[in-house]
Amino acid sequence: HLPVTFQRHGNVLHGQCYDRSGDPEIRVTAMLELGSPLEMIQLLQTPWEERFKICLSLVKLLFYLAHSPLGSIVLLDFQPRQFVMVDGNLKVTDMDDASTEELSCKEDNDCTLVFPTKSFPLKCSAVGKCEGINEKKNLFNAYRYFFTYLLPHSAPPALRPFLSDILNATGDLRYGINETLQAFEKVLHLYKSGLYLRSVQYVTIPFSLRGFRTVEGEDYKCWPSYSHLGCLLSVHGAEEAAAICNSQSQCQSFIVTQQRTWTGELEQM
């Protein structure tokens, strides 16, 4: 088992052991945080901002694994089923399948990282270990199980070139985890600050902020949305909301609320 200092990381599922020594059948009971299993199909129906948050949480976890006090840690059974959502945060559940062992080698030919669809040649270090193999294995698994599905779909158009760079660089393992985290933080900064909107040309649109229905008694619905009852999106301001509404033929009017998402974006109805 991994030390408590590692298990307290924010993206590792917390738990405690309860000693039931009075019961001859059950000596120890594990009590864990209540989390919801990851359902990729459901995640694809959530707003892009929430899917980006999941990927960012995963990158932060992999950054910690690569630089942990124990050395570089690899998740041996890296599958979406090994993660859960707890209060909107991604957490890994089973650390029994984590290892600090790195592949030993005598020459570079001993250090090929093999996946079902790709293989990557790595270097054999002077100490006889394949350089960065644990970090790169985690990162490529994140790319093929998470980034590929969650990052590009319905992303803001101005951010798509940055997301494509992340996908290409992690898919080819040109980025390590340090560069990947920097790229994610750059996208987050552009999104939170609204700088990504500077490259977007808006047209003046004669909308008033007076409602969210197409016709009386009928809610306007869009996808993906924060609410299945209507069209609830996150925007940086009224100008972006107007542009989104103008791009969808069913939308006749909208309201910009004072509710904010985890990035500080306003919510539009």
Side-chain angles (χ1 to χ4, degrees), residues 81-195:
R81 66 172 178 266
Q82 298 287 9
F83 297 86
V84 295
M85 297 298 296
V86 179
D87 296 328
N89 295 310
L90 182 75
K91 297 199 175 189
V92 63
T93 61
D94 190 358
M95 295 311 300
D96 287 340
D97 288 323
S99 173
T100 58
E101 292 294 322
E102 292 188 304
L103 186 64
S104 298
C105 59
K106 294 182 179 179
E107 57 184 22
D108 291 350
N109 289 337
D110 298 329
C111 292
T112 301
L113 183 58
V114 179
F115 292 94
T117 58
K118 277 189 176 183
S119 60
F120 302 93
L122 304 179
K123 296 289 186 181
C124 182
S125 70
V127 296
K129 298 290 183 181
C130 296
E131 289 184 359
I133 190 167
N134 287 352
E135 172 187 332
K136 292 181 183 297
K137 186 174 183 179
N138 284 339
L139 188 55
F140 189 77
N141 278 326
Y143 159 79
R144 66 180 181 140
Y145 287 121
F146 287 86
F147 302 166
T148 301
Y149 300 104
L150 301 183
L151 276 183
H153 180 62
S154 70
L159 293 178
R160 289 174 189 171
F162 300 98
L163 298 174
S164 293
D165 288 344
I166 291 174
L167 287 170
N168 291 333
T170 54
D172 294 336
L173 287 184
R174 287 185 286 108
Y175 278 1
I177 191 59
N178 293 358
E179 295 86 356
T180 302
L181 180 57
Q182 290 173 3
F184 267 84
E185 289 179 337
K186 179 179 180 179
V187 171
L188 179 62
H189 171 68
L190 291 172
Y191 188 67
K192 289 180 68 174
S193 64
L195 291 174

Side-chain angles (χ1 to χ4, degrees), residues 206-225:
F207 280 117
S208 61
L209 310 185
R210 58 183 175 80
F212 63 99
R213 298 177 185 273
T214 53
V215 295
E216 187 63 31
E218 180 182 342
D219 288 341
Y220 164 58
K221 296 181 180 180
C222 62
W223 181 84
S225 169

Side-chain angles (χ1 to χ4, degrees), residues 48-49 52 56 60 156 159 184-197 234-237 240 260-266:
W48 174 83
E49 186 176 327
F52 178 79
L56 177 61
K60 288 181 177 179
L159 293 178
F184 267 84
E185 289 179 337
K186 179 179 180 179
V187 171
L188 179 62
H189 171 68
L190 291 172
Y191 188 67
K192 289 180 68 174
S193 64
L195 291 174
Y196 72 102
L197 297 173
S234 62
V235 294
H236 196 72
E240 184 183 9
R260 294 184 179 271
T261 64
W262 69 277
T263 61
E265 295 280 286
L266 295 167

Side-chain angles (χ1 to χ4, degrees), residues 42-56:
Q42 292 181 7
L43 287 178
L44 287 173
Q45 300 175 34
T46 61
W48 174 83
E49 186 176 327
E50 295 304 309
R51 286 181 271 118
F52 178 79
K53 180 183 181 182
I54 290 172
C55 292
L56 177 61

